[in-house]
Amino acid sequence: MMKLIASRGTLVAALALFMGACSQGGSIQSPGATFVGDPPGGGTGGGSGGSGSGATCPLGTTIGTAIGTTTVCNLTGEVLNNLTLPRITGVAYRLVGRVDVGRDLGAAGNAATGVAATLTVEPGVTIFGDEASDLLIINRGSRINAVGTPSQPIVFTGREDLAGTANAETTNRLWGGVILLGRAPIRGCSTAVAQGALECQNAVEGITAATGRQALYGGATAADTSGTLRYVQIRYPGEFLSSAAAGDDLNGLTLGGVGSATDISFLQVHNSGDDGIEVFGGTANMKNLVITGALDDSLDFDEGWTGVVQFLVIKQTPNSGGPDRLFEGSNRTVASLAGTLNTNPTIANFTTVGIRTNSAGANLQGIVLNNTGGTPGSSGRFLNGIVTGTNTCAVASTANTSPAVRFDSMMFDCPGALDAVAAAAFSAGSNNVSNVTTTLSASLLPGPNELARTALNPTGVNAFFEAANYVGAFSATATATSNWASGWTIQLLPAAACPAGTVEQGTIAGQRNCVISGVVGSGTSPTNLRLTAGNIYQISGRVDVGFDRGAALNAGTAASLTIDPGVRLYGSTAADVLIVNRGSKIFINGTAQAPVIMTSRNDVAGTQADKARASREWAGLILLGAAPIRGCSTAVAQGSVDCQNAVEGITAATGRQALYGGATSADDSGRITYLQIRYPGAFLTSAAAGDDLNGLTLGGVGSATQISNIQVHNSGDDGIEIFGGTVNLRNWVVTGALDDSLDFDEGWVGKAQFGIILQALTATGGPDRMIEASNRTVASLAGTLNTNPIISNFTFVGVPQNDASANLQGISLNNTGGTPGASARLLNGVVTGSTTCLNFETANTSPAPQLDSILSSCSGSYGAVATARLNAGTNNTTGTTATLTSRFVNGTAEAARTAVNASTVDSFFTATTYIGAVRDAADLWWSTWTCSLAAGSTC
């Protein structure tokens, strides 16, 4: 609640064009008139005609006044039906006045006049306001689903930001803000009723009759949900409504009675004209928050908020009229009856850097817990935190908080003394220090004094928390260019430069373009190259990681390539391919919230004519190892150190062949986790017919290589192809492959669990099989190293015919290129959609295929071999119709099948009690890091 009033500062001239979504923060400047997020390509159409960029506004919006080359699509009034704001090249969306999502459903969720609606905002979308009355309200019973990505955050901002006249350091109060209202319990009832009761509700501050009507929050549903805000920036909000009473102001993000089922994470509020985030009661939990430049309090909470926060950064700036406190906690009763629902959040792992005095010269306080508006005063539990910069680190205005404030593993570095109540709580806690100077690097990252502190394990305090054995918001391994705030925030940390070993060549989609070429580990490229967040990386031609070390791993030169969470790489042609050679390693360190994305230039630039059918726009990723293979290129023993082969698709025209194979079963090519590979599989004109590039190619890769949580989307050839080796896969997804989705050959004997295949008629020429398995000998001597992986818990959803109307097979085990034919052990699977689910071309596989707990639901007949193997197994069915929901989630028929406990088959497997890849709607291992799987999701 604002106490320090100031008019909007004078705006400076336009600064250099940078896309804030790509910055590390630091001195990244406000973008110019073309800033519209990260453009994804064509929109949905159907609305009013465009101007500016010439784009068309989608349904539910109307054309507005263009800003330079940016088409403006207006959003006005009430949104009473589900509405999606798609990312469209050259389009930004304006909030025109008060925009309500839904109409208040009341505390019980059943108000007769109420209407529920959901506003979905796609990654990279920009939404802006131009005055205080331009604001977004999500009413009780409605939702917002605004889910950005590290490279494509969703940006709420002001018009001046798009016009290039905002100063990222000093601009504030350009528009209203974002308000979420829920039905969770609150303390501050507007009438004399019981705190936390269904009847206890209040009108949110800043919304007056001048905006149309009050906006209410509160109820008795602790686990209420108002939707999701993830990878979102809210820039320059908090302009004053002239109709609002003094102190009744608009914040960057206001949460009124928001429930614990709401997902708020990876969110930044920058330069709010009032509080950064203000929370009125409720049970909302938040994670990975950044609040920079708030003109009043950075985080203000009141009216019985009992939620939790982890990983919070607050950074104050000395702007005119402010700032005030880092935290302000109150415990207002408003008009409620006496009760025990007190303000008492738990906040863990935070780094807060304040300033000593405000612009008027008044000393500032860090954590303030007061009894303004109600006693007992606000409480809170604070752990693993750093408070520095303010004159006084903490003040607790009253001793009769209930329960008493608690500090553990806190580091205070402020010149002023704590008041008596705060000092007592500080002394009563564990591992607190106030006599150690902070040594933060880059103003926020832990230095030696922070790293020396003893942290409290937050998982023992609340189940919402993640394990963190450090104080502050960032771990010991965080750097200025690699941390959870990298790539999607502004004005926080120094901007990322292109790493040594890459070459800066302009920008693309607003990001610094860093070019990778040649061989990692040679010339000017370091032996260990790390691609940090905040840039985009161009794969230029054939890029090798290291020189081939040979089958015995004693030649050549090894190197490694590490890719940080959220990084995007792209190729432009079939010649752009990334190869990890034998003896070298790749470490792709994506996360569920920030996957690494390898894609095409067209995707990055938003120039795909049809994203759903886009394919063959660059080459792909190839890993080569020294594990045993069957397909030797010369007449030597299968699986021997002399048995090697040249990977398909790489020919002399690319510089040299790329070899794989050896005798090291546990060979290690690194680790891949949370990776999307989009639109690969372009044909090399130098490759022989059928000798094509896949999305992910694994040649002789060993079992020490870790590959999990990987998706290949719209590959122009196979999604994943495996040539021999012992590599294992977990949590793998192939969507829209133009040839086979999973192809394996040459003696692969690894394991795979939790796999989803979804076929589509994406482009001319496909698709083909969901699995094709062969057992090629190439030129090897006769031997017994046969293709025979174990694949468990899979859901394969095919199409019956390809684009040429030829009938398709689901799983094909053939003897093409070698006998005996390929084998496999398949368990806990669902196969549906193809004309023929299973086709085994020869009976003399060695050993014979083994199938257990397979539900195959296809219209065509099964061959004699497949039928025999189904009958020989246990709990298989061909007469049960698949009942999958949401395309690949088990339905009633799948849930009724008896499963094999996969962990009893091999220790690699996770124990399971169900068939298929996705047990039910609550099984969400695939949900946050893939594209095109969730309803309404696109790539």
Side-chain angles (χ1 to χ4, degrees):
M1 290 160 283
M2 187 66 183
K3 275 72 67 178
L4 304 171
I5 308 299
S7 62
R8 183 192 304 172
T10 303
L11 300 179
V12 300
L15 301 174
L17 172 63
F18 273 104
M19 177 182 173
C22 331
S23 75
Q24 298 290 339
S27 297
I28 297 304
Q29 298 163 316
S30 296
T34 58
F35 174 59
V36 290
D38 193 3
T44 59
S48 302
S51 60
S53 67
T56 300
C57 290
L59 286 170
T61 67
T62 58
I63 192 68
T65 302
I67 303 174
T69 60
T70 299
T71 294
V72 172
C73 299
N74 289 338
L75 189 61
T76 61
E78 294 181 299
V79 177
L80 300 181
N81 296 293
N82 293 344
L83 175 66
T84 295
L85 300 182
R87 359 169 230 184
I88 304 173
T89 303
V91 166
Y93 298 90
R94 180 183 171 186
L95 302 170
V96 180
R98 171 177 169 169
V99 175
D100 285 82
V101 176
R103 192 175 291 161
D104 182 29
L105 277 168
N110 58 3
T113 58
V115 178
T118 297
L119 176 66
T120 299
V121 186
E122 291 190 348
V125 162
T126 296
I127 301 171
F128 73 96
D130 193 27
E131 53 192 59
S133 59
D134 296 344
L135 53 94
L136 179 65
I137 301 175
I138 312 301
N139 286 295
R140 287 186 294 188
S142 292
R143 301 182 185 183
I144 184 171
N145 287 322
V147 181
T149 69
S151 58
Q152 296 177 303
I154 292 164
V155 178
F156 292 86
T157 190
R159 184 187 185 281
E160 286 91 333
D161 193 11
L162 274 74
T165 56
N167 183 320
E169 295 183 0
T170 61
T171 296
N172 52 47
R173 295 180 181 161
L174 295 183
W175 61 292
V178 178
I179 300 174
L180 270 61
L181 304 174
R183 300 185 295 123
I186 65 172
R187 172 183 171 90
C189 324
S190 60
T191 56
V193 296
Q195 299 170 11
L198 184 65
E199 298 80 15
C200 182
Q201 60 181 8
N202 201 1
V204 74
E205 75 170 20
I207 303 301
T208 68
T211 68
R213 62 192 175 283
Q214 290 182 318
L216 303 177
Y217 61 93
T221 307
D224 190 36
T225 180
S226 297
T228 301
L229 294 172
R230 188 184 306 145
Y231 288 108
V232 170
Q233 292 179 20
I234 302 175
R235 302 180 181 177
Y236 317 118
E239 186 170 6
F240 291 164
L241 276 168
S242 58
S243 58
D248 194 27
D249 311 314
L250 292 167
N251 311 292
L253 175 64
T254 301
L255 305 175
V258 173
S260 60
T262 306
D263 179 355
I264 301 175
S265 57
F266 299 96
L267 180 138
Q268 179 183 22
V269 179
H270 180 64
N271 281 19
S272 174
D274 194 54
D275 299 331
I277 300 175
E278 185 157 13
V279 188
F280 296 98
T283 55
N285 304 321
M286 294 177 276
K287 191 172 287 185
N288 300 98
L289 301 181
V290 175
I291 304 172
T292 44
L295 205 56
D296 191 23
D297 307 314
S298 295
L299 178 58
D300 191 337
F301 45 88
D302 197 353
E303 294 187 22
W305 178 46
T306 56
V308 297
V309 174
Q310 189 179 27
F311 307 125
L312 165 67
V313 175
I314 294 175
K315 186 177 180 181
Q316 288 185 325
T317 54
N319 285 329
S320 177
D324 205 351
R325 306 169 175 103
L326 297 171
F327 299 90
E328 180 182 23
S330 307
N331 200 32
R332 294 189 307 164
T333 55
V334 191
S336 69
L337 301 175
T340 59
L341 178 53
N342 297 316
T343 301
N344 187 28
T346 303
I347 303 176
N349 293 99
F350 55 93
T351 300
T352 57
V353 179
I355 58 176
R356 186 74 53 84
T357 61
N358 65 15
S359 63
N363 288 335
L364 295 180
Q365 302 163 336
I367 300 173
V368 176
L369 304 176
N370 64 46
N371 60 358
T372 303
T375 55
S378 172
S379 188
R381 184 168 186 185
F382 299 85
L383 55 139
N384 298 344
I386 300 168
V387 181
T388 186
T390 53
N391 186 69
T392 304
C393 279
V395 174
S397 300
T398 176
N400 67 331
T401 53
S402 180
V405 61
R406 182 169 176 180
F407 297 115
D408 294 291
S409 297
M410 295 292 298
M411 186 174 181
F412 284 176
D413 181 17
C414 304
L418 304 178
D419 79 331
V421 178
F426 199 76
S427 298
S430 60
N431 300 311
N432 298 315
V433 294
S434 60
N435 58 351
V436 177
T437 302
T438 55
T439 55
L440 296 170
S441 66
S443 78
L444 293 170
L445 302 177
N449 288 350
E450 291 76 26
L451 296 175
R453 305 313 312 153
T454 300
L456 179 69
N457 182 359
T459 60
V461 175
N462 191 290
F464 175 81
F465 292 135
E466 298 176 18
N469 61 351
Y470 51 90
V471 302
F474 298 110
S475 71
T477 60
T479 68
T481 56
S482 179
N483 59 78
W484 59 258
S486 297
W488 61 274
T489 58
I490 63 170
Q491 294 296 114
L492 187 65
L493 288 165
C498 287
T502 68
V503 177
E504 182 173 345
Q505 287 188 3
T507 62
I508 183 170
Q511 285 188 277
R512 180 184 288 106
N513 187 61
C514 304
V515 179
I516 318 166
S517 60
V519 179
V520 175
S522 70
T524 61
S525 175
T527 300
N528 302 304
L529 175 60
R530 182 171 187 168
L531 306 184
T532 53
N535 303 309
I536 194 164
Y537 296 90
Q538 177 183 349
I539 300 168
S540 179
R542 171 175 170 168
V543 176
D544 287 83
V545 179
F547 291 99
D548 179 30
R549 299 211 67 206
L553 300 175
N554 58 3
T557 304
S560 70
L561 176 65
T562 299
I563 306 176
D564 284 353
V567 163
R568 281 191 300 172
L569 303 88
Y570 73 92
S572 303
T573 70
D576 300 335
V577 60
L578 179 59
I579 303 173
V580 182
N581 286 299
R582 287 186 294 192
S584 292
K585 297 181 180 181
I586 189 169
F587 298 97
I588 296 178
N589 297 323
T591 67
Q593 303 297 340
V596 171
I597 298 175
M598 296 183 178
T599 188
S600 68
R601 188 188 191 285
N602 289 338
D603 183 29
V604 170
T607 55
Q608 291 167 319
D610 184 349
K611 288 179 70 70
R613 295 177 64 85
S615 183
R616 293 178 179 161
E617 294 188 340
W618 67 292
L621 173 63
I622 299 174
L623 270 62
L624 304 174
I629 65 171
R630 172 184 172 89
C632 323
S633 60
T634 57
V636 296
Q638 300 171 10
S640 69
V641 74
D642 304 307
C643 181
Q644 61 182 7
N645 201 0
V647 74
E648 75 171 20
I650 303 300
T651 69
T654 68
R656 61 193 174 281
Q657 290 182 318
L659 303 176
Y660 62 94
T664 307
S665 292
D667 190 33
D668 185 357
S669 296
R671 179 183 62 251
I672 296 175
T673 183
Y674 294 107
L675 169 67
Q676 292 180 22
I677 303 174
R678 303 179 181 177
Y679 316 113
F683 291 165
L684 273 170
T685 55
S686 57
D691 195 26
D692 310 315
L693 294 166
N694 311 293
L696 174 65
T697 301
L698 303 172
V701 176
S703 60
T705 307
Q706 301 174 44
I707 300 179
S708 63
N709 300 290
I710 182 168
Q711 177 184 18
V712 180
H713 179 68
N714 281 21
S715 175
D717 194 55
D718 299 331
I720 301 173
E721 185 156 15
I722 306 175
F723 296 97
T726 55
V727 66
N728 305 317
L729 310 177
R730 181 177 278 116
N731 294 358
W732 54 279
V733 177
V734 179
T735 47
L738 202 55
D739 192 18
D740 308 313
S741 297
L742 174 63
D743 192 335
F744 48 87
D745 197 353
E746 294 188 21
W748 178 46
V749 291
K751 278 84 65 177
Q753 189 176 27
F754 305 122
I756 298 171
I757 291 175
L758 300 178
Q759 286 188 322
L761 294 171
T762 54
T764 302
D768 203 350
R769 306 168 179 97
M770 289 190 281
I771 282 184
E772 179 183 21
S774 308
N775 199 33
R776 294 189 307 164
T777 56
V778 191
S780 69
L781 300 175
T784 59
L785 178 54
N786 296 316
T787 301
N788 188 28
I790 307 174
I791 303 176
S792 179
N793 293 97
F794 54 89
T795 301
F796 296 167
V797 182
V799 294
Q801 296 179 324
N802 64 14
D803 73 317
S805 299
N807 290 337
L808 296 180
Q809 302 169 350
I811 299 176
S812 172
L813 305 181
N814 64 46
N815 60 357
T816 303
T819 55
S823 188
R825 183 166 186 187
L826 307 175
L827 49 139
N828 297 341
V830 178
V831 186
T832 187
S834 306
T835 294
T836 302
C837 279
L838 307 171
N839 182 52
F840 303 164
E841 293 182 358
T842 177
N844 68 329
T845 52
S846 179
Q850 183 175 343
L851 285 71
D852 297 289
S853 298
I854 303 297
L855 187 160
S856 50
S857 176
C858 300
S859 60
S861 60
Y862 297 77
V865 179
T867 299
R869 300 320 305 161
L870 283 165
N871 292 337
T874 60
N875 300 311
N876 299 312
T877 176
T878 60
T880 302
T881 301
T883 58
L884 297 169
T885 63
S886 301
R887 296 194 294 169
F888 54 85
V889 178
N890 283 355
T892 54
E894 293 77 23
R897 304 305 306 167
T898 300
V900 177
N901 181 353
S903 66
T904 64
V905 175
D906 190 278
S907 60
F908 167 80
F909 293 118
T910 299
T912 50
T913 58
Y914 56 93
I915 71 169
V918 182
R919 179 179 58 246
D920 52 34
D923 186 5
L924 297 173
W925 63 261
W926 53 272
S927 65
T928 61
W929 58 273
T930 59
C931 64
S932 81
L933 287 190
S937 168
T938 59
C939 287

